[in-house]
């Protein structure tokens, strides 16, 4: 039975389109799997601390099993977030596009879960860094809302979309390569444009809830 970890990244609450659309998927999925586990992690309206010097020193400490207690404390939240990620089969990320990328809270979450020795490994091959993903058997659904129009595959603004590429790259780096993106676009266009986009996204999310 699948378990779902839902990451919510919009700073908006009830007015958030990405949150509302994610709920279309989550409630349909829950209705089909009433016994399944759904865990939520707030990263848009709760502070996920940015990486600081203490974090870097602790995360890349050469002897991870002998980290001083103070370093273990510096990694406590990161350990929790990694454990949470590893403890679920499906990752659902709801996020707006913010300045062509993701909100800083979601970026901070990524920085906390991309962890040497836990979600990826690093070796040297003839002196050149090689990276190995450590996460297996998971898939991700990204539900995103954008004010503009044309950021999707083949769209006029595709090259400016650093949100989907960041998420796909970072998730792929740790081993989550089965990633589906459902986007609603045009919140800043006339209402009809957005309504059509949202209706299409909802249909696709309902279909995915039957597959996941
Ligand atoms: C700080 C900020 C930056 C934004 N940057 C972009 C952007 O780069 N491209 C875009 O299409 N929309 C941008 N928008 C609009 C949001 O993507 C849009 O309002 C989206 O629907 C918000 O999602 P939400 O309702 O889940 O919060 C931005 C909005 C904010 C508040």
């Amino acid at each position: 039975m699948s378990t779902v970890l839902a990451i919510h990244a919009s700073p908006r609450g009830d007015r958030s389109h990405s949150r509302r659309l994610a709920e279309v998927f989550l409630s349909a999925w829950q209705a089909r799997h009433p016994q399944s586990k759904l865990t939520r992690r707030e990263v848009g309206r709760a502070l996920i601390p940015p990486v600081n010097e203490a974090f870097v020193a602790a995360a890349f400490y050469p002897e991870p099993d002998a980290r001083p207690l103070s370093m273990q404390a510096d990694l406590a939240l990161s350990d929790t977030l990694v454990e949470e990620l590893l403890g679920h089969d499906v990752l659902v990320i709801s996020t707006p596009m913010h300045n062509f990328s993701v909100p800083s809270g979601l970026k901070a979450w990524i920085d906390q879960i991309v962890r040497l020795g836990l979600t990826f490994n690093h070796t040297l091959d003839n002196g050149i860094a090689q990276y190995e993903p450590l996460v297996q058997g998971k898939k991700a659904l990204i539900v995103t809302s954008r004010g503009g129009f044309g950021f999707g595959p083949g769209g006029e603004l595709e090259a400016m979309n650093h949100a989907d590429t960041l998420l796909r790259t970072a998730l792929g780096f740790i081993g989550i390569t089965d990633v589906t993106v459902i986007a609603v676009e045009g919140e800043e266009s006339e209402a009809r444009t957005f309504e059509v986009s949202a209706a299409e996204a909802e249909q696709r999310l309902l279909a995915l809830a039957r597959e996941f």
Side-chain angles (χ1 to χ4, degrees), residues 3-9 13-14 16 18-31 36-46 48 77 80-81 84-85 87-88 90-94 109 143:
T3 55
V4 170
L5 172 63
I7 308 286
H8 299 292
D14 293 344
S16 163
S18 56
R19 282 176 195 269
R20 185 184 65 75
L21 283 169
E23 292 315 314
V24 170
F25 172 87
L26 292 171
S27 54
W29 177 83
Q30 274 196 302
S36 302
K37 182 168 81 164
L38 167 63
T39 305
R40 293 174 186 275
R41 171 62 62 175
E42 182 60 56
V43 304
R45 290 160 71 83
I48 302 293
L77 174 64
T80 300
L81 296 177
E84 191 171 71
L85 175 66
H88 296 79
V90 177
L91 177 66
V92 175
I93 298 178
S94 74
W109 178 82
V143 183

Side-chain angles (χ1 to χ4, degrees), residues 9-13 15-20 94-101 103 143-149 151 157 160 184-188 194:
S10 176
R12 305 206 285 186
R15 294 172 61 220
S16 163
H17 296 289
S18 56
R19 282 176 195 269
R20 185 184 65 75
S94 74
T95 181
M97 173 180 274
H98 274 185
N99 296 314
F100 314 103
S101 182
V143 183
T144 186
S145 182
R146 309 167 186 145
F149 208 93
F151 288 98
L157 304 181
M160 296 164 77
V184 58
E185 289 198 314
E187 196 206 342
E188 291 158 2
F194 188 65

